[in-house]
């Protein structure tokens, strides 16, 4: 934990330093220190680039990465499926439908296409997707089988993608471009004004999930075993799915679709500290933050004078990483 924390702090410093503008590391430190009245600071243009553009996107990258990884770990434990993440269960697709509706249809209403409306619509879409997945996956006897849950999530995700595509096709060029950039994943729109909501949601979700970490351990033995251990399976499932829905909705609204973080990071963390959630969850948060911070650094620097969508970078990193993890585990779940 200490090593990962130090590495994260150093990585965030590199993230602020890296960029197309030629700003030295000393200027970065002076710009940040100047915001607290320490030292002489730097010129206004340098301070704007460091404090208002680079620093918020690095902080948002760390928070979003930690949140996505946390959601993936929780969903994998609840469903008992190693492929579960916020996207495969349809939550992100539902959030995408809500946000896309605001970004495209909302342009006809003054002020609706920006601000908190995107987050509210994304959350509503994620909750609707969640309810639809449960309605489809629940058997006639009331049981909720993990296999049916995953299949229902895939179906809802495809339906959400189709609805989003229809809205994009009917939108004007400007709105369609904004949605396209958003769906590819980007931290370029990070601003301090939106950070309190994102930080609050992820921190509260992490605190609640860590508090019920022993309950998540019980789910590893199956629903019946968890019930025999005194766990209220229904209440716990709805509590955790609701928390994951809130996190996914807010993060998707802020940064778009960023894949593989919620899928790969929990597996990597289990290789480091094992399956017990009281140790697993803090490591998942740190590794998720590290992954997205470095993915954003690559997105901004790998091609000169051009930014690659961070969602593409995480996919390029995530695919071989997941294959390597599977081979290390012998293909076992």
């Amino acid at each position: 934990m200490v090593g990962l924390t130090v590495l994260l702090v150093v990585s965030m410093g590199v993230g602020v330093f890296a960029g197309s503008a030629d700003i030295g590391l000393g200027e970065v430190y002076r710009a940040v220190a100047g915001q607290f009245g320490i030292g002489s600071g730097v010129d206004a243009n340098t301070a704007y680039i460091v404090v208002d553009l680079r620093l918020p996107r690095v902080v948002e990258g760390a928070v979003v990465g930690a949140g996505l990884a946390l959601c993936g770990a929780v969903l994998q434990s609840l469903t008992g499926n190693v492929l579960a993440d916020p996207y495969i269960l349809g939550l992100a697709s539902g959030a995408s439908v809500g946000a896309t509706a605001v970004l495209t249809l909302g342009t006809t209403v003054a002020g609706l296409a920006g601000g908190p409306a995107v987050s509210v619509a994304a959350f509503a879409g994620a909750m609707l997707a969640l309810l639809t997945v449960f309605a489809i996956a629940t058997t006639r006897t009331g049981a909720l089988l993990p296999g049916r849950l995953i299949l229902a999530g895939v179906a809802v995700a495809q339906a959400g993608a189709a609805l989003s595509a229809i809205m994009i096709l009917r939108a004007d060029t400007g709105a369609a471009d904004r949605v396209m950039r958003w769906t590819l994943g980007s931290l370029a729109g990070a601003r301090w004004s939106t950070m309190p909501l994102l930080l609050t949601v992820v921190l509260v979700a992490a605190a609640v999930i860590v508090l019920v970490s022993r309950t998540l351990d019980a789910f590893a033995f199956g629903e019946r075993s968890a019930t025999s251990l005194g766990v209220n399976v229904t209440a716990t499932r709805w509590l955790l799915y609701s928390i994951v829905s809130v996190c996914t909705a807010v993060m998707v609204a802020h940064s778009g679709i960023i894949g593989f973080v919620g899928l790969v990071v929990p597996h990597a963390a289990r290789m480091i500290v094992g399956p017990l959630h009281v140790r697993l969850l803090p490591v998942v948060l740190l590794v998720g933050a590290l992954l997205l911070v470095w993915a954003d650094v690559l997105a901004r620097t790998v091609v000169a004078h051009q930014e690659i969508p961070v969602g593409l970078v995480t996919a390029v990193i995530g695919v071989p990483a997941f294959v390597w993890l599977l081979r290390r585990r012998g293909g076992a779940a």
Side-chain angles (χ1 to χ4, degrees):
M1 288 293 295
V2 173
L4 287 172
T5 302
V6 172
L7 184 57
L8 176 60
V9 172
V10 173
S11 299
M12 292 178 70
V14 173
V16 177
F17 170 71
S20 57
D22 188 13
I23 299 176
L25 188 59
E27 290 179 296
V28 170
Y29 288 134
R30 289 199 301 272
V32 176
Q35 301 301 307
F36 299 95
I38 302 174
S40 59
V42 294
D43 62 89
N45 185 55
T46 301
Y48 173 75
I49 294 175
V50 172
V51 178
D52 295 325
L53 295 182
R54 292 185 183 178
L55 188 57
R57 76 179 291 162
V58 169
V59 174
E60 181 170 307
V63 175
V64 171
L68 288 175
L70 179 69
C71 291
V74 172
L75 289 173
Q76 288 173 10
S77 297
L78 286 177
T79 63
N81 191 303
V82 296
L83 295 179
D85 75 346
Y87 301 158
I88 203 169
L89 292 183
L91 295 175
S93 181
S96 177
V97 171
T100 300
V102 171
L103 291 170
T104 56
L105 307 179
T107 55
T108 59
V109 181
L112 183 60
V118 176
S119 296
V120 173
F123 171 68
M127 290 303 296
L128 180 60
L130 178 70
L131 294 174
T132 304
V133 167
F134 269 96
I136 297 173
T138 303
T139 64
R140 293 181 179 179
T141 60
L144 187 63
L145 304 178
R148 290 173 62 98
L149 186 68
I150 298 297
L151 292 175
V154 171
V156 170
Q158 292 298 317
L163 288 175
S164 297
I166 291 172
M167 288 185 283
I168 292 172
L169 289 174
R170 294 179 61 87
D172 60 79
T173 303
D177 288 343
R178 288 195 297 272
V179 173
M180 186 61 64
R181 289 194 300 268
W182 177 78
T183 54
L184 289 176
S186 176
L187 302 174
R191 296 293 183 270
W192 290 118
S193 59
T194 61
M195 206 65 65
L197 174 63
L198 188 64
L199 280 169
T200 300
V201 169
V202 174
L203 288 175
V204 171
V208 174
I209 292 171
V210 169
L211 286 175
V212 298
S213 58
R214 293 186 180 275
T215 301
L216 282 172
D217 290 333
F219 276 92
F221 301 99
E223 181 177 322
R224 292 184 179 179
S225 297
T227 302
S228 66
L229 292 172
V231 175
N232 187 331
V233 173
T234 300
T236 301
R237 180 184 291 118
W238 278 105
L239 170 65
L240 293 177
Y241 274 117
S242 298
I243 291 173
V244 167
S245 299
V246 173
C247 277
T248 302
V250 174
M251 288 183 292
V252 168
H254 277 75
S255 58
I257 307 298
I258 300 176
F260 281 96
V261 177
L263 176 63
V264 174
V265 171
H267 293 289
R270 291 187 189 98
M271 294 179 64
I272 300 173
V273 294
L276 290 179
H277 287 83
V278 69
R279 294 183 295 181
L280 175 68
L281 294 176
V283 173
V284 162
L285 289 166
L286 290 171
V287 175
L290 271 169
L291 174 59
L292 198 52
V293 166
W294 278 105
D296 185 54
V297 170
L298 292 175
R300 288 184 283 131
T301 59
V302 70
V303 178
H305 308 295
Q306 183 178 357
E307 181 176 327
I308 300 174
V310 70
L312 299 182
V313 177
T314 57
V316 171
I317 297 174
V319 171
F322 190 61
V323 171
W324 179 78
L325 289 171
L326 286 178
R327 292 182 64 86
R328 282 289 303 269
R329 297 168 64 94

